[in-house]
Amino acid sequence: CTREKYPWVEFAEDPESGPSVQWCCEKAKQHGMVIVAPIFERDSVHSEELWNTAVVIGHNGNVIGKHRKNHIPRVGDFNESTYYLEGNTGHPVFETKFGKIGVNICYGRHHPLNWMMFGLN
């Protein structure tokens, strides 16, 4: 998977001010809906680290929070850890106008304890 790292890292963005997040914020506010926006996050505060992140955007266009992918698959040649870090946001549950949302990103769905932790939170 190292062949997948470049040139795609140029699309990594900030989870609050990145261009796709800002576009989703506008659309959420315009249509009064909640959006869960998957992004390739660049953490400029912490040494430009890269994360597979879901940003939860409220119906009024505000960023409610983010969740970083917990489990990184390492199967044969498929090894996302060559460019993503394992998440450090735990198992957050976000309160929205329409109810609570927990976001289990990609490979994390295969881990029952992830579902349990979202449920407990």
Side-chain angles (χ1 to χ4, degrees):
C1 274
T2 54
R3 66 187 178 280
E4 297 175 8
K5 186 170 185 175
Y6 299 104
W8 307 115
V9 294
E10 69 188 63
F11 294 105
E13 64 183 275
D14 183 88
E16 301 240 358
S17 62
S20 63
V21 174
Q22 288 303 302
W23 184 84
C24 287
C25 287
E26 291 171 18
K27 294 303 175 186
K29 185 175 184 177
Q30 178 183 357
H31 297 289
M33 63 183 178
V34 171
I35 296 176
V36 178
I39 67 164
F40 187 21
E41 178 189 354
R42 178 182 310 281
D43 187 351
S44 57
V45 176
H46 299 101
S47 305
E48 302 291 309
E49 292 173 342
L50 301 172
W51 309 89
N52 184 346
T53 302
V55 179
V56 180
I57 300 165
H59 72 286
N60 58 4
N62 65 313
V63 173
I64 297 174
K66 68 182 179 186
H67 173 58
R68 294 173 171 158
K69 184 175 180 177
N70 285 333
H71 294 282
I72 306 296
R74 294 171 183 86
V75 181
D77 188 38
F78 187 70
N79 186 354
E80 290 181 351
S81 67
T82 58
Y83 50 100
Y84 289 137
L85 293 176
E86 286 190 329
N88 61 359
T89 55
H91 298 83
V93 175
F94 305 99
E95 188 72 45
T96 75
K97 175 183 177 181
F98 305 105
K100 294 181 179 181
I101 296 177
V103 182
N104 209 349
I105 301 172
C106 193
Y107 191 67
R109 74 185 183 279
H110 297 292
H111 299 276
L113 292 178
N114 267 350
W115 295 109
M116 182 187 75
M117 291 305 295
F118 284 119
L120 290 173
N121 289 338

